[in-house]
Amino acid sequence: MNPVNYVYLAALLFTIGAAGVLLRRNAIVVFMCIELMLNAANLTLVAFSRMHGNLDGQIMAFFVMVVAAAEVVVGLAIIVMLYRSRHSASVDDASLMKL
Amino acid sequence: MTVPSAAWTLAAGDELKAPDIEYSQLLPTLIVLGAAAVGIVVEAFLPRRSRYVTQVVLSLVALAAAFAAVIGLAAGGSATSDAQIAGMGAIAVDGPALFLQGTILLVALVSVFVFAERRLEPVAHGAPVDSFAAQPASVPGGEGEQQATKAGWTTTEVFPLLLFAVGGMMIFPAANDLLTLFIALEVFSLPLYMLCALARRRRLLSQEAAVKYFLLGAFSSAFLLFGTALLYGYAGTVNYSGIARVISSADTTTDPVLADTMGNDALLLIGGAMVIMGLLFKVGAVPFHMWTPDVYQGAPTPVTGFMAAATKVAAFGALLRLLYVVLPGLRWDWRPVMWGVAILTMLAGAIVAITQTDIKRLLAYSSIAHAGFLLAGVIATSEDGVSSVLFYLGAYSFVTLGAFAVVTLVRDAGGEATHLSKWAGLGRRSPLLAAVFAVFLLAFAGIPLTSGFAGKFAVFKAAAEGGAGALVVVGVIASAIAAFFYLRVIVLMFFSEPQPDGPSVAVPSAMTTSAIAIGVAVTLVLGVAPQYFLDLAGHAGVFVR
């Protein structure tokens, strides 16, 4: 199959992720949508790596996986902390600060 | 499609070539990151009571040593004639990189003083405490928090977190490929997300700020990453000069795949736009500024000061390098967009700031307006543009640090009194502090004889010479609007009656005092005699490719 199709798939996944971040209200789901966006970028990198016949893209995908894992650690810690002090992980409820 | 398989297979006898790393060129960053790792070990093995002194000394020594290493590299010619690219093409060691690294290190050094202040909070059960939570994992107001407070615990992890953030910030403006840019972005962002959540008082606000900063920051870095992937698809490389060569069609390639993707401008334009979006978010430019006021208000004030100063320096360095090294061939496409962003940023920051009633939010909107002034210098696309932005960043970061350090001192029973109404009559009660804050506000407004004027003049001059005259007009109008609310605070402090239940000014230790004194000194020296530093920035204003 032509590897370009994977780039289209990745663009679709990225769009779904971005739409999810903007539309969903639960912080955990928002965070999962961000992970979806990162993985879409990974798929793009690997597909282009295959097309260009060099390894840069695949190596970058490894780096991105590590960074995404680190981000999960920090992100879940922060979201769980919010949940424990408010008993809600909704991003709409977190509105103590307004203009 | 046939794909060459030679690139990703290795015959059994072939040897992997080990990379060459120029350790001496990368010494400043390595010192800071190494000290951060040592800081983690200190947290794990030293008893609680000796951690604070160890961490403070370790951070100060590491930052000073790294600054000395930067000076050594600059004196050795790395900033001018001998600029080169280290770490297998990953990191540039050149004038702008060294200038910004030096600035970030000095900012961090002063920030450590403000972080380590232990005189402001009332002594809790016999132990002096700082402005960070006793035990961040405990629920606010819960039993765990009470026990931790009673035991006199403090979060000394803030110092290694600060060092990790500084390490990432030092790599960010020096990154010479898009992968290093992304990694550096995450290395400095992740510690900052955590630092935001660690306030001792008003913990719900602090946690909310951390969640907002984290979700929006991760969202924007996903955009930066996807843009990176698209640029890689376009050029077949993530190296800055490699992409620049492909954009200017200097690569006469026979590779049919590369010829195919090179012809696809959609990849280049969308990819470039997404990477710039990610950087503009970190800079805090409109329309990517929504996080700024909430995060600045909610984060512990020492963290806000550090973040406001150092993040802006690092992010503008990276933005300059991206636009001047990777995308100069595309400047007819990005300049109109950046014009719009700069105008929106200057006006929106200045106008919305007028309606603010909280001093930290006011300074946040002022930082948005200043991001707009800096963007005017970026748009100049000239050597003067680079050096004026470098100078402005150095001047602005010390004013910001000093201003937030003053905010930590004005306190009432509930902690810092950040509501503007409480600042009324502060000039009558403690004239010295109010006068110092007035100096910072005048520098923000760009009044002559302060560093703000010298910086703004340099940036607007570069922009006007670079053909952005209309932008300068908008910039001056925005400055006039901004001057209104800075002066309003000064009038409030000096010409209104103090409230009977108003805040008191805490007497700090020598550390915060020296941080504020350094801020005032830099502001006045750069305002009265800016020429030496303008020359310094002028010599440093050439990127290596």
Side-chain angles (χ1 to χ4, degrees):
Chain A
M1 198 167 79
N2 191 343
V4 171
N5 291 330
Y6 288 101
V7 178
Y8 293 135
L9 174 64
L12 192 67
L13 288 175
F14 186 84
T15 316
I16 293 172
V21 171
L22 299 175
L23 297 176
R24 298 304 295 264
R25 302 273 60 107
N26 186 305
I28 301 274
V29 179
V30 170
F31 186 40
M32 282 163 63
C33 289
I34 292 172
E35 291 296 312
L36 186 62
M37 293 166 75
L38 292 181
N39 283 320
N42 263 352
L43 185 58
T44 320
L45 285 169
V46 174
F48 278 128
S49 176
R50 170 88 181 166
M51 282 164 69
H52 285 300
N54 66 23
L55 277 178
D56 293 7
Q58 297 192 26
I59 293 169
M60 282 181 70
F62 278 118
F63 276 90
V64 175
M65 282 180 215
V66 174
V67 167
E71 214 170 59
V72 168
V73 172
V74 172
L76 281 185
I78 291 175
I79 294 172
V80 167
M81 182 185 66
L82 183 85
Y83 179 78
R84 294 206 322 161
S85 41
R86 292 166 192 257
H87 301 288
S88 146
S90 163
V91 287
D92 283 345
D93 290 351
S95 57
L96 289 173
M97 289 174 287
K98 280 273 167 67
L99 198 64
Chain B
M1 188 186 300
T2 57
V3 177
S5 65
W8 56 69
T9 56
L10 190 70
D14 290 357
E15 265 187 56
L16 273 174
K17 221 175 90 208
D20 278 331
I21 308 288
E22 297 84 345
Y23 289 102
S24 61
Q25 306 273 331
L26 304 177
L27 196 59
T29 321
L30 293 177
I31 291 174
V32 172
L33 290 176
V38 173
I40 298 289
V41 177
V42 166
E43 284 300 320
F45 291 107
L46 278 196
R48 224 170 246 285
R49 63 179 182 285
S50 48
R51 281 183 206 163
Y52 166 76
V53 176
T54 319
Q55 293 285 19
V56 173
V57 172
L58 178 70
S59 311
L60 290 176
V61 168
L63 291 169
F67 184 72
V70 167
I71 297 292
L73 281 176
S78 289
T80 47
S81 53
D82 200 20
Q84 54 178 298
I85 291 170
M88 304 291 281
I91 292 182
V93 183
D94 59 5
L98 288 173
F99 186 93
L100 294 175
Q101 288 180 343
T103 311
I104 291 168
L105 285 168
L106 286 181
V107 166
L109 205 63
V110 178
S111 294
V112 170
F113 289 143
V114 188
F115 271 53
E117 176 63 56
R118 288 192 148 186
R119 283 268 185 86
L120 302 178
E121 290 286 336
V123 172
H125 306 280
V129 294
D130 47 29
S131 42
F132 298 100
Q135 192 184 31
S138 59
V139 178
E143 205 176 310
E145 189 188 45
Q146 282 171 12
Q147 283 174 357
T149 314
K150 199 172 274 179
W153 289 355
T154 52
T155 307
T156 40
E157 286 92 341
V158 292
F159 297 103
L161 284 174
L162 172 85
L163 287 180
F164 275 121
V166 171
M169 285 170 182
M170 289 169 70
I171 303 174
F172 201 49
N176 197 49
D177 67 42
L178 291 169
L179 176 60
T180 313
L181 184 81
F182 174 69
I183 302 289
L185 174 82
E186 293 292 340
V187 168
F188 85 73
S189 294
L190 294 179
L192 282 182
Y193 301 148
M194 288 203 266
L195 284 172
C196 282
L198 299 183
R200 179 171 283 267
R201 311 255 189 159
R202 301 192 188 121
R203 290 188 58 200
L204 285 178
L205 277 190
S206 170
Q207 296 182 350
E208 184 181 316
V211 169
K212 286 179 177 169
Y213 193 21
F214 170 73
L215 288 178
L216 292 173
F219 187 51
S220 78
S221 63
F223 271 89
L224 186 129
L225 182 69
F226 201 73
T228 301
L230 293 182
L231 284 180
Y232 169 66
Y234 172 79
T237 172
V238 286
N239 189 279
Y240 277 9
S241 51
I243 298 173
R245 269 202 307 278
V246 174
I247 290 175
S248 60
S249 313
D251 251 352
T252 45
T253 175
T254 51
D255 182 353
V257 179
L258 191 56
D260 191 32
T261 54
M262 262 174 70
N264 192 347
D265 276 349
L267 285 179
L268 171 64
L269 292 174
I270 298 176
M274 282 178 145
V275 173
I276 292 175
M277 248 167 82
L279 293 177
L280 286 179
F281 173 88
K282 284 293 160 197
V283 158
V286 178
F288 312 107
H289 67 291
M290 280 84 79
W291 61 278
T292 319
D294 283 358
V295 174
Y296 278 27
Q297 186 190 356
T301 309
V303 175
T304 311
F306 169 67
M307 190 163 70
T311 310
K312 198 147 278 187
V313 176
F316 263 103
L319 187 66
L320 274 177
R321 190 178 294 277
L322 187 83
L323 292 179
Y324 283 52
V325 177
V326 186
L327 303 175
L330 217 58
R331 68 176 169 281
W332 302 115
D333 293 300
W334 62 253
R335 272 189 73 158
V337 180
M338 297 301 269
W339 263 71
V341 171
I343 290 174
L344 271 179
T345 308
M346 289 188 283
L347 289 179
I351 292 171
V352 182
I354 295 177
T355 65
Q356 297 306 313
T357 53
D358 185 285
I359 189 76
K360 282 167 89 177
R361 284 184 91 84
L362 181 92
L363 291 177
Y365 279 103
S366 127
S367 96
I368 295 173
H370 281 275
F373 302 142
L374 280 157
L375 280 175
V378 172
I379 287 169
T381 35
S382 63
E383 208 177 304
D384 278 351
V386 181
S387 58
S388 67
V389 170
L390 294 183
F391 179 82
Y392 197 122
L393 284 171
Y396 171 77
S397 54
F398 280 94
V399 181
T400 310
L401 265 183
F404 278 107
V406 171
V407 173
T408 63
L409 300 184
V410 182
R411 310 177 76 90
D412 57 15
E416 287 157 13
T418 54
H419 200 274
L420 264 184
S421 63
K422 298 199 172 154
W423 285 57
L426 197 72
R428 310 251 176 118
R429 211 172 286 157
S430 39
L432 181 65
L433 188 90
V436 165
F437 198 62
V439 169
F440 291 136
L441 288 174
L442 292 175
F444 278 133
I447 305 297
L449 296 183
T450 62
S451 60
F453 175 76
K456 234 176 232 176
F457 185 78
V459 166
F460 285 159
K461 183 162 159 276
E465 283 170 0
L471 205 57
V472 174
V473 174
V474 178
V476 171
I477 293 172
S479 302
I481 300 172
F484 167 72
F485 62 78
Y486 295 128
L487 292 179
R488 199 187 59 172
V489 176
I490 295 179
V491 169
L492 188 73
M493 286 194 303
F494 285 99
F495 300 106
S496 52
E497 287 300 318
Q499 289 178 336
D501 58 340
S504 60
V505 172
V507 179
S509 70
M511 284 190 282
T512 302
T513 312
S514 52
I516 295 174
I518 292 171
V520 173
V522 172
T523 304
L524 294 180
V525 169
L526 260 57
V528 175
Q531 199 52 49
Y532 172 75
F533 299 94
L534 281 170
D535 289 346
L536 195 70
H539 290 309
V542 182
F543 289 104
V544 67
R545 206 156 30 137

